[in-house]
Amino acid sequence: MKAQNTANIGIGAEIGLPSGNFVNLSGIGLGTSIKADFPIAADFAISLNGGFMNFFGKRNQLFKVQDFTYIPAKAGLKYHLSESFYAEGQLGAALPLTNGQKTLFVWSPGIGNQFKLAGENKLDLGIRYEAWTGKNNTIGLNRSDTKGFVGIRFAYVFGL
């Protein structure tokens, strides 16, 4: 198996499809991200990911849910199952940009495929499940709350 042996950086667009109870608060999330991979062994790389994500709050006749706007920052391990197909797991934090929201713990397993382009450049298509977990103080209740979603990422990857 021949995996990447050089570092790379990718710039991409993100789509978030809420799942579970998060569907009641948001219909879709849109964002952007920058992700860097640094090889540490033949098929393993350390990945660093930062970006911007906005989940649009739902509205109806009775109430309007505030948008959830965050800067997710994650680090993890990527394993190349073949030359182009990979699996990865990341941990990190989602930092709020909206008043009244709190920093959340992030965990995210996913898979993806990188399609070769000219030179060392690639097109990266990834799908993951991502969960943002933290304390929620809604109406005097102090309980743990998770916002889960399926994330889809389309990125252009530059070989370094």
Side-chain angles (χ1 to χ4, degrees):
M1 186 174 348
K2 183 182 179 235
Q4 73 177 26
N5 55 9
T6 61
N8 62 52
I9 189 164
I11 300 171
E14 303 257 353
I15 298 171
L17 305 172
S19 65
N21 291 334
F22 195 27
V23 171
N24 298 329
L25 302 175
S26 177
I28 192 167
L30 298 174
T32 185
S33 64
I34 297 175
K35 182 175 171 185
D37 295 332
F38 303 97
I40 56 173
D43 296 323
F44 281 98
I46 291 175
S47 63
L48 301 175
N49 187 332
F52 169 85
M53 195 71 175
N54 184 73
F55 284 94
F56 298 95
K58 282 196 171 179
R59 296 155 180 82
N60 67 26
Q61 294 150 346
L62 298 175
F63 64 93
K64 176 187 179 282
V65 174
Q66 178 181 11
D67 287 1
F68 300 91
T69 308
Y70 283 87
I71 296 176
K74 303 176 284 189
L77 284 176
K78 178 185 278 189
Y79 178 69
H80 289 269
L81 300 161
S82 70
E83 184 175 351
S84 61
F85 189 69
Y86 63 86
E88 75 178 325
Q90 295 185 319
L91 299 174
L95 309 168
L97 290 177
T98 309
N99 288 338
Q101 296 176 352
K102 297 182 179 196
T103 299
L104 303 171
F105 172 72
V106 175
W107 59 273
S108 174
I111 58 172
N113 198 71
Q114 293 183 334
F115 303 93
K116 286 191 173 221
L117 301 173
E120 293 290 317
N121 300 336
K122 300 172 189 167
L123 182 63
D124 187 357
L125 173 59
I127 187 166
R128 69 189 184 282
Y129 176 77
E130 188 161 316
W132 298 356
T133 303
K135 291 287 185 186
N136 183 7
N137 285 330
T138 306
I139 313 172
L141 300 174
N142 190 7
R143 61 181 180 86
S144 182
D145 183 30
T146 297
K147 294 167 182 63
F149 62 94
V150 173
I152 302 168
R153 181 173 187 265
F154 303 94
Y156 190 83
V157 178
F158 302 90
L160 300 179

